[in-house]
Amino acid sequence: MIVPYKEINKLSPIVKELFLQWRDFLYNRVKFNRPDSEIHAAGHCERVLLYALIIGDEVFGDNLYVLTALAHAAVFHDTRRLDDYLDIGHGARAAVYYRQFCDETPDIDFIPEAQLMMKYHDIDDKRGKVGIKRDFYGSLPRMFKLYDIFKDADALDRWRLGNGGLDPKYLRTEQAKNMMEYSHRIVNETILEEQRRRIDEMIENLKNKDQ
């Protein structure tokens, strides 16, 4: 658990309550394929949870259903990664794990919107929304808005990849664009110097892989 309480105590009551609830769930109940990943394990998911709940609250207000859907997507979305590179398909694998987890666990209700957010978060928006339109039977405008919010929450944590990690032109919502400084501060508060050194080395190795 890495987000400091001085930041948590600034949250609105519902965001604070849900953040603490699902942060505890993340660390105590959710299993990662790669739990020691420097950039795609629980610490990353904790920050995405924070950003998703803040944006969701701003867009939808105290809507417990949609905020819980965003929380589920945040804590499960990177659980089935096989590597720290692109790994297209890890979202679909996470969606399967999430479905199985909910089926086998009595104290968490399956939310279709959460499954679709994580299933399509690792592909481009156009293809993702085509998949959502094919798979979803509820309100598409709300579903597409949730998808945009979740992908922005995930993107806001790209500061963990370095100061050039986040390009604001790719953010979809005004709320996320207004959170760039906030998310940068949160990353700086939650990544220690030694971890930063390891991440920088890993990013350099991934760049070399691209060449």
Side-chain angles (χ1 to χ4, degrees):
M1 301 183 185
I2 55 176
V3 175
Y5 272 92
K6 68 184 178 103
E7 299 291 353
I8 296 171
N9 288 332
K10 298 175 185 177
L11 301 173
S12 72
I14 190 169
V15 171
K16 180 179 178 180
E17 178 182 354
L18 289 172
F19 176 75
L20 291 173
Q21 174 187 349
W22 291 105
R23 182 178 75 164
D24 181 72
F25 186 93
L26 166 66
Y27 282 96
N28 291 296
R29 307 283 296 281
V30 176
K31 305 300 182 185
F32 286 78
N33 271 352
R34 306 183 74 253
D36 297 324
S37 169
E38 296 284 3
I39 59 174
H40 289 119
H44 163 62
C45 291
E46 181 182 344
R47 289 188 297 264
V48 173
L49 171 64
L50 175 67
Y51 308 145
L53 288 173
I54 291 173
I55 300 172
D57 185 47
E58 290 184 12
V59 174
F60 291 104
D62 292 355
N63 186 317
L64 183 59
Y65 181 84
V66 297
L67 293 178
T68 303
L70 286 163
H72 287 194
V75 301
F76 282 95
H77 78 285
D78 274 348
T79 53
R80 287 302 174 261
R81 272 188 164 271
L82 302 178
D83 60 56
D84 280 323
Y85 200 48
L86 298 177
D87 191 17
I88 302 301
H90 73 270
R93 293 192 297 272
V96 171
Y97 170 51
Y98 169 67
R99 171 88 250 192
Q100 293 172 339
F101 190 102
C102 292
D103 287 346
E104 296 169 0
T105 308
D107 59 346
I108 178 173
D109 293 327
F110 173 77
I111 300 178
E113 291 91 336
Q115 185 184 46
L116 292 176
M117 279 185 270
M118 69 183 82
K119 180 177 181 179
Y120 293 114
H121 85 275
D122 58 347
I123 61 177
D124 68 81
D125 291 2
K126 184 175 181 179
R127 290 175 57 219
K129 290 183 177 180
V130 167
I132 288 170
K133 189 174 181 180
R134 180 186 63 238
D135 295 346
F136 190 60
Y137 298 98
S139 169
L140 280 173
R142 186 177 76 170
M143 181 66 237
F144 288 154
K145 178 59 71 175
L146 283 168
Y147 181 69
D148 287 345
I149 289 171
F150 181 69
K151 290 195 77 169
D152 275 359
D154 198 21
L156 283 171
D157 203 45
R158 290 184 64 84
W159 291 123
R160 75 198 190 284
L161 307 180
N163 287 333
L166 175 59
D167 188 337
K169 73 181 180 183
Y170 293 111
L171 294 174
R172 302 152 188 83
T173 65
E174 288 303 312
Q175 291 81 8
K177 292 173 184 176
N178 291 333
M179 286 177 61
M180 287 187 61
E181 290 186 10
Y182 174 80
S183 58
H184 198 185
R185 186 179 82 244
I186 294 296
V187 166
N188 287 335
E189 290 178 348
T190 55
I191 293 183
L192 301 177
E193 183 176 346
E194 179 61 22
Q195 185 182 8
R196 168 55 59 199
R197 183 188 63 76
R198 293 194 301 267
I199 291 174
D200 289 346
E201 289 178 358
M202 185 186 67
I203 297 301
E204 191 60 33
N205 290 334
L206 290 176
K207 288 179 181 177
N208 292 335
K209 183 177 179 179
D210 258 344
Q211 295 174 357

